[in-house]
Amino acid sequence: MTQVPAQKIGVGIVISFYGVMAAVGYFFSWIFDINPLVLRESSNSLWFRMLIGGGFGIGVVLVSALFTHKFYWAKRLSETLRNTLGRRNFVEIFFFALASGLGEEILFRGTLQQLLTMVLFDGVAANIFGVVVAAVIFGVLHTGPERAVFFPWTIFAIVVGALLGLLYWWTGDLVAPVTAHFTINFFNLHLICNRDAID
Amino acid sequence: MINEITQYPLGIFTTVQPILFLWVVAISFFITISFVALVSKDRTWQWLCVIGVLFFICTLVISLIVSSAFVGISVMDFEFIWVQPSS
């Protein structure tokens, strides 16, 4: 039997939360005079970057669906997240995915990753340091009350965060990471929240 | 009557690198929110705020020392002098 969530989190609260996250990112970017959206001038077209991001996102969604199908820990995590989030419609999921994609990428990739590359190291070492540390901080924040259940989510977020960081480094701006993040959250939220409807 | 000579210490910042200092503050902030997320289970938000502030201060001090050692530039220096007020 599925638990009924105590109180559903509304779209307004989610958008406000990620809005604050983006504002924190922009605040730090303003202090350090950096542009969180652009790391450097990109040589690839906008469509190419969106395609790369979308393709990467679809790949991650397929891997997570496979894990949920094959492994008990992934199934348990999916059920726990579904109990927390409750059933969601298309519009809610769209705005959740868009807000989280933009807010998290502006803060963690656009701001934190750039900041981390600024001081301690030079060249490739600085970029690797930025990607890894930003991914670890991003992953650690993907946690929940039941440590054993949410631990795979943390590891998953660290790995995906590092790959999104590499995408940001490679493509030169936030278009690919935001598209990838939106795609992952949009399809995974559908699979998590409305899975029994899909089954 | 004993004539007391009162001296008091005065701390003076002799070197401040504002960008480096703000960088350390920013990174300490991110490390702090990660730590608070890790220890958040079964704690009220008041406790988490206190833990966050204390952890932020500790991280800031340690980060200042470590980044000074890494970068080789003194991020922040201060010295104490003893001041004797004129009577």
Side-chain angles (χ1 to χ4, degrees):
Chain A
M1 204 173 104
T2 35
Q3 276 175 262
V4 180
Q7 196 181 5
K8 262 186 158 187
I9 303 162
V11 175
I13 291 175
V14 170
I15 291 176
S16 308
F17 177 77
Y18 286 110
V20 169
M21 201 178 261
V24 170
Y26 266 101
F27 174 69
F28 282 117
S29 301
W30 170 70
I31 288 176
F32 292 96
D33 196 24
I34 55 174
N35 183 354
L37 301 180
V38 181
L39 186 62
R40 60 170 188 280
E41 196 69 39
S42 182
S43 53
N44 302 307
S45 72
L46 178 68
W47 290 110
F48 177 78
R49 283 173 277 152
M50 286 180 79
L51 203 67
I52 289 288
F56 172 77
I58 295 289
V60 173
V61 171
L62 290 175
V63 170
S64 4
L66 185 73
F67 278 8
T68 313
H69 185 70
K70 287 267 180 201
F71 301 110
Y72 171 69
W73 51 263
K75 212 169 281 181
R76 193 171 57 158
L77 172 64
S78 176
E79 299 231 327
T80 310
L81 286 171
R82 192 187 340 169
N83 291 337
T84 310
L85 293 165
R87 189 179 286 277
R88 298 291 176 169
N89 62 38
F90 179 88
V91 177
E92 283 176 313
I93 288 174
F94 177 83
F95 281 109
F96 282 11
L98 188 66
S100 61
L102 279 169
E104 290 183 1
E105 290 310 309
I106 286 172
L107 183 65
F108 293 103
R109 249 61 62 186
T111 307
L112 180 59
Q113 191 174 313
Q114 274 205 68
L115 279 185
L116 287 162
T117 60
M118 279 170 62
V119 171
L120 292 181
F121 302 101
D122 290 320
V124 177
N127 283 304
I128 291 170
F129 179 74
V131 167
V132 172
V133 177
V136 170
I137 292 175
F138 172 74
V140 166
L141 291 170
H142 283 77
T143 187
E146 292 166 76
R147 288 282 183 270
V149 175
F150 284 95
F151 185 68
W153 193 34
T154 307
I155 300 297
F156 177 79
I158 291 174
V159 173
V160 174
L163 294 171
L164 290 171
L166 288 173
L167 262 183
Y168 181 52
W169 180 20
W170 176 45
T171 57
D173 62 24
L174 274 185
V175 172
V178 168
T179 313
H181 204 138
F182 170 79
T183 310
I184 294 165
N185 284 0
F186 182 76
F187 287 106
N188 274 353
L189 278 171
H190 264 299
L191 291 171
I192 288 167
C193 298
N194 307 323
R195 194 169 146 216
D196 48 343
I198 292 165
D199 285 346
Chain B
M1 203 174 133
I2 302 166
N3 186 15
E4 282 186 9
I5 299 169
T6 319
Q7 287 190 324
Y8 60 90
L10 183 70
I12 303 171
F13 286 98
T14 54
T15 310
V16 180
Q17 301 283 342
I19 291 295
L20 281 179
F21 178 72
L22 287 171
W23 185 83
V24 174
V25 171
I27 302 305
S28 303
F29 167 78
F30 284 106
I31 293 171
T32 300
I33 54 172
S34 309
F35 178 77
V36 170
L38 279 177
V39 298
S40 61
K41 194 189 172 189
D42 297 334
R43 286 196 167 90
T44 61
W45 66 268
Q46 291 97 329
W47 262 113
L48 292 176
C49 286
V50 173
I51 291 169
V53 169
L54 292 175
F55 186 83
F56 177 73
I57 293 166
C58 293
T59 316
L60 185 61
V61 172
I62 294 166
S63 307
L64 281 172
I65 296 164
V66 170
S67 51
S68 287
F70 254 93
V71 181
I73 301 168
S74 209
V75 179
M76 207 159 90
D77 270 344
F78 60 98
E79 285 175 14
F80 282 109
I81 56 168
W82 290 94
V83 177
Q84 186 180 331
S86 53
S87 51

